[in-house]
Amino acid sequence: MDLLKNTSIPRKLTLLVLAAVATALFLSCVAFVINDIRFMRDAMVRQLTSLANVLGSNTAAALTFDDTESAQHVLSSLNVQPSVTKACIYDAEGVVFATYVTGVQTYDFPSTPPSAGYRFTADGHLKVAAAILVGEEQVGTIYLHATLDQVRQQLAHYAEIVLVVLTMSFGTSYLLVSRLQRGISGPILALARTAEQISTNQDYSIRVAKTSDDELGTLYDEFNHMLEQVETGKRALQEAHRRLTQQSEQRMRAIVETAADAIITIGDDGVIDSCNGASCDLFGYKREELLGAKFTTLLTDADDMSWQEYVRTKLDYDSSSKCASKEIEAQRSDAKVIPLLISLSRLVTDEGWMSTAILRDLSESKRLQRELLQAQRLESIGQLAAGIAHEINTPMQFVGDNIEYLSQCTDRLFQVVDAYERSLASESLPRSWDDRLRDLGDVIEQNRFHQVREQIPLAITESLEGIERVKHIVRAMKEFSHPGGGNRIPSDLNRAIESTVAITRNRWKYVAELTLELDPDLPSVWCYPAEMNQVFLNLIVNASDAIAEKSGFDDDERGRIVVRSLRVDENIVIEVVDTGCGIPEDVRGRIFDPFFTTKEVGKGTGQGLAICYNVVVNKHGGALEVESTPGIGTLFRVTIPRSRPEDTLDPEYRHVAAEAPV
Amino acid sequence: MVVALVTAWSAFAQDATQVEVIDREYAIKAAFLYHFSTYVEWPPGTFEAAEAPFVIGVYQTDPFGTALQTVAASKKVAGRSIAIRRIDSRQDVQDCQILFVPNSVPWQEQEAVIHSARDAQVLVVGESDDFVEQGGDVQFFVEGNKVRFAFGAEVTRRGELKVSSKLLSLAKIIPSAE
């Protein structure tokens, strides 16, 4: 049936009828022929049996009187029966008595007479045997062979007739059907054509003309009805669509117009195609001035590049038609340079490729960032102040004690000196030198002069050491908080590390041993020392906190912090390694996010690592990496390029780098 | 092939066959006598009683031995049993339906028997040459090792005996001398 699936309906109808006609005709012809053949066979059996009986009766006397010749003579009369090919007569004893054989046949009769009856053989013969009777007595048997050629000829003849009948019926049926089927297929084809026309032209106003009142007529009516509904529905849909489009367009325009960020669409030639109100405020131009201007003329670093070139080289545009947010600088109409965050996306419109740029003024955000950095620095200094005070207090205490002791010593010293003076000056009293010496000895003994003499230099040395320690801390504080005045200068990072370690001593000394592994040949680096100090401070404080969280202030289980500096190719690498609690895998991706912290409320602001990242990556074009195993420890690696990579610098700091002496 | 075989057989055992045919001659003739009864119709009233046997008579000398008795014992003619009688006198010929006159009977006597049976409803069968020419009904003769028989042309015209055409078609028809 699949064969018929794609043939046209007229052909299907024709084939259907022809198949039915052919089947019916063929079956009836076959039935007729089979019946006729059966009838013919029966007739032949009857004919041959009666022939055998006649011959038997005619040869009965010959058999009786043993007259073979006569029997032979009777059998020879069979030559007028061409269908009989062989005949044979057996006598009463079953011995062959007389035979008849036509031209090509051979004598192959059974040696004993077969029993009466008939039988069709496989090679197309009919064999009939009949008893020869005289009265009641069987005197012999007659046996006849006849070919079925006649039947076969008849069959061939029938086949011809069937073929002719079939062909003629088929032809006639075909002619009839191909005319008559039009009544059914015509309207269907007309409907199909109309439907095709409707779907091609999208014209639902077409109607089909009904021609009959049968099921096809109903189909036509329903089709027209359906078309009407489609037409109505389509009109309603179009209207709704139009309204919706209008609404959404208005809405879209309102959204764009009232957006806080500047939204500008730029043609593929770089010319501004549309802009919203925020754009005008941002650049300080009127809308008419912006439209039609080249976008790159608004930028400070545009040079003479084409828009496409600018997008490719400056905005890292990737093939997935998006541009990650990027900071650029633009010049306002009042010549003020403002930092902008641009994100660019591309789309295809009827007029070709377009870019949509969303611009955000970063001036305020930059200012806040600077303030935040400053605030954090002050905050950490504040947090360290108590520790630093303690660090200063300890030496000052024993310096004070020593000075007090020295003052006591001075009293005793003066008493000894006074005693000498007295013994030398009192001439009025006649005294012997021995007495005088004894008196002096008593005074010296009384003031433990020898002890004082030994202790004084020790106390002085110790005090000097204490003062040196205080001086060291104060210098470190000074260096930490105010080195270089915010300029990028060549700095000795080893020294910066040492200062930071000194001022944070009070944070780590109770929980860890801190080891410095500084490369003595570390070259100086162009950097902002105050900000690098802040980075080291944050990392060391974090390391201390991590160890404290893991083992508390247990003296038996002190952690270890290693701060290492080394030179790798053209980079300086500083590593801060701790044996603290580590950073769980699931938060590792967020540790550089601002305001992210795992410390208790009040202990951390979540700004430390965010600032580190900003300083290392954005301001110095370096890298900040972390390796951590929870429960084992953490390694932070700061990589700072030694060269002066202006291109990777935050634009805010670029001019500073350019001005700085090499 | 069969013809060749027969020829070979004849050449090989001619004497034996001759002897056998002579031995079997009267057995065949006995059978033929019986078979004649089935192809000949006697007029109604031939038999006086319903149970009366069909009588085959042998004139004077009997050359059949037991052959004729054997046939008579096993067969019937139209429901009647067969009786074999020896006929010694010409006057008794009408006592039988078939009368066999053997060759051993002197020729004059044979002619006399034929003559006396002329008006009787008896099928007179002989075996001497010219038996039919002299007025006998049927005459056996041997031809090609086979026992054949001849009918006189007159037999059907004479009297009331009806001889079947089937029987006549097997017989040699000899016209009467008179």
Side-chain angles (χ1 to χ4, degrees), chain A residues 25 69 110 130 184 220 293 325 356 388 392 410 437 460 481 489 504 642:
Chain A
L25 271 177
E69 221 171 284
I184 299 170
Y220 272 39
S325 296
T356 306
I388 291 166
I392 292 172
T410 312
L437 275 173
I460 289 171
S481 51
I489 54 167
T504 55
R642 238 195 101 212

Side-chain angles (χ1 to χ4, degrees), chain A residues 61 64-65 67-68 70 137, chain B residues 35 39 75 146 148 167 170:
Chain A
T64 309
F65 295 102
D67 191 343
T68 308
S70 171
E137 193 186 352
Chain B
H35 286 308
Y39 289 97
K75 308 281 182 185
K146 278 193 163 186
R148 310 300 319 159
L167 186 58
L170 298 177

Side-chain angles (χ1 to χ4, degrees), chain A residues 57-71 97 107 134 137 139, chain B residues 28 31-36 38-39 75 143 146-149 166-167 169-171:
Chain A
S57 133
N58 286 343
T59 51
L63 266 169
T64 309
F65 295 102
D66 194 22
D67 191 343
T68 308
E69 221 171 284
S70 171
F97 181 71
Y107 295 87
V134 176
E137 193 186 352
V139 296
Chain B
I28 291 167
F32 277 21
L33 285 178
Y34 156 69
H35 286 308
F36 288 154
T38 56
Y39 289 97
K75 308 281 182 185
E143 185 184 85
K146 278 193 163 186
V147 176
R148 310 300 319 159
F149 50 87
K166 285 180 184 169
L167 186 58
S169 72
L170 298 177

